Amino acid sequence: METIPIVRQGRAPSHLAVAYSSPEGPRQAAGGAAGFCFLYLHGFGSEQSGEKAEFFRRQALGGGFAFCSFDFEGHGQSGGEMRELTLSRNLEDLSLAVSWLEAKGHRRLCLIGSSMGGGTGMWYSALNPERVVAGLHIAPALDFAGSLLAWAGPERTRAWQQSGVIHFANDLVSCELGWELIEDLRAYPTESLLLRYRTPALLLQGRFDTSVPWRGVTEFATRCPFRDIDLHLFADGDHRLTDRKERLWALMLEFLRGRQLLADGGAAGAG
């Protein structure tokens, strides 16, 4: 595990915990395009060491590809507080990780995002299209604010806005969230993302996802003027799709190879 220091004016010093892996020798040669690296973005309340991320890491390395992940601030081993979570902060974190990888010579980055990480990755790609070659996103949270407000309900939403903080809890996380999160998310409307998005993307979605409604993801894929977006809907899939990780990886490689974004390294097709 490595760290990227974060110094922002008017804020306490923080850091990102980063796990970078690069294949060596023959496997590196088999992998493909020079400078290519997968960058994994975890979901809300999760961390970079989750089951899917580690599976993707093993598959990438086995195919000769570099793989990197990090914990967003407020998550895992990174600094910062969940109370201060915003999409803008996530985008800043991602930009730091991208710059860190570019300094290592990785200028062809493919984002793999899960839920909140998928939404962050899509906004980052829209704002920085020259820095991302493709996005492979599992249940991307494109309406994070709507989901949080639906969870809170009208009465608790009013109390949240008045007090500035709410306690959030589910089976994965228990934390405080600031009202700044909602205000910040409102500065990133889905309609704007639809118009700005221009990066090849594969969206992987479960129909029985209770956190990210499949209809919203499907609507984005069909309404976006940019046509290089594929959607795979798992008819009986849930939010995390952890039980489909082998199939997810196969679909990801098929998508990238179909657009000639990877060299044809045989080992990478395993799993």
Side-chain angles (χ1 to χ4, degrees), residues 223-253:
R223 287 186 58 208
C224 186
F226 180 66
R227 303 317 305 161
D228 200 3
I229 299 177
D230 282 4
L231 170 70
H232 188 95
L233 183 66
F234 291 88
D236 59 347
D238 61 8
H239 177 60
R240 301 178 69 192
L241 294 175
T242 304
D243 60 334
R244 316 296 169 92
K245 54 186 180 293
E246 292 87 357
R247 180 63 176 148
L248 294 175
W249 183 250
L251 288 167
M252 290 174 180
L253 289 183

Side-chain angles (χ1 to χ4, degrees), residues 20-33:
Y20 170 76
S21 306
S22 179
E24 298 179 357
R27 288 200 293 181
Q28 185 178 38

Side-chain angles (χ1 to χ4, degrees), residues 4-100:
I4 300 175
I6 301 174
V7 179
R8 299 187 182 103
Q9 187 173 5
R11 301 189 198 176
S14 184
H15 70 276
L16 296 182
V18 183
Y20 170 76
S21 306
S22 179
E24 298 179 357
R27 288 200 293 181
Q28 185 178 38
F36 187 92
C37 182
F38 290 101
L39 177 56
Y40 184 81
L41 313 173
H42 67 76
F44 171 70
S46 186
E47 56 186 56
Q48 62 176 309
S49 59
E51 181 179 345
K52 288 197 300 290
E54 289 308 303
F55 174 80
F56 296 151
R57 186 188 304 274
R58 291 192 300 270
Q59 295 301 303
L61 292 175
F65 299 99
F67 189 95
C68 185
S69 61
F70 69 93
D71 290 324
F72 285 107
E73 287 183 88
H75 295 75
Q77 298 183 49
S78 288
E81 301 292 336
M82 284 289 282
R83 167 68 175 76
E84 298 173 356
L85 175 68
T86 62
L87 176 54
S88 291
R89 188 178 76 172
N90 280 356
L91 291 170
E92 291 174 4
D93 291 348
L94 177 49
S95 184
L96 286 172
V98 168
S99 295
W100 189 81

Side-chain angles (χ1 to χ4, degrees), residues 3-4 8 39 44 111 127-128 131-132 152 159 182 185-186 200 220 235 250:
T3 60
I4 300 175
R8 299 187 182 103
L39 177 56
F44 171 70
L111 305 181
L127 297 171
N128 305 274
R131 303 182 83 180
V132 181
I182 299 299
L185 286 167
R186 287 172 172 167
F220 184 92

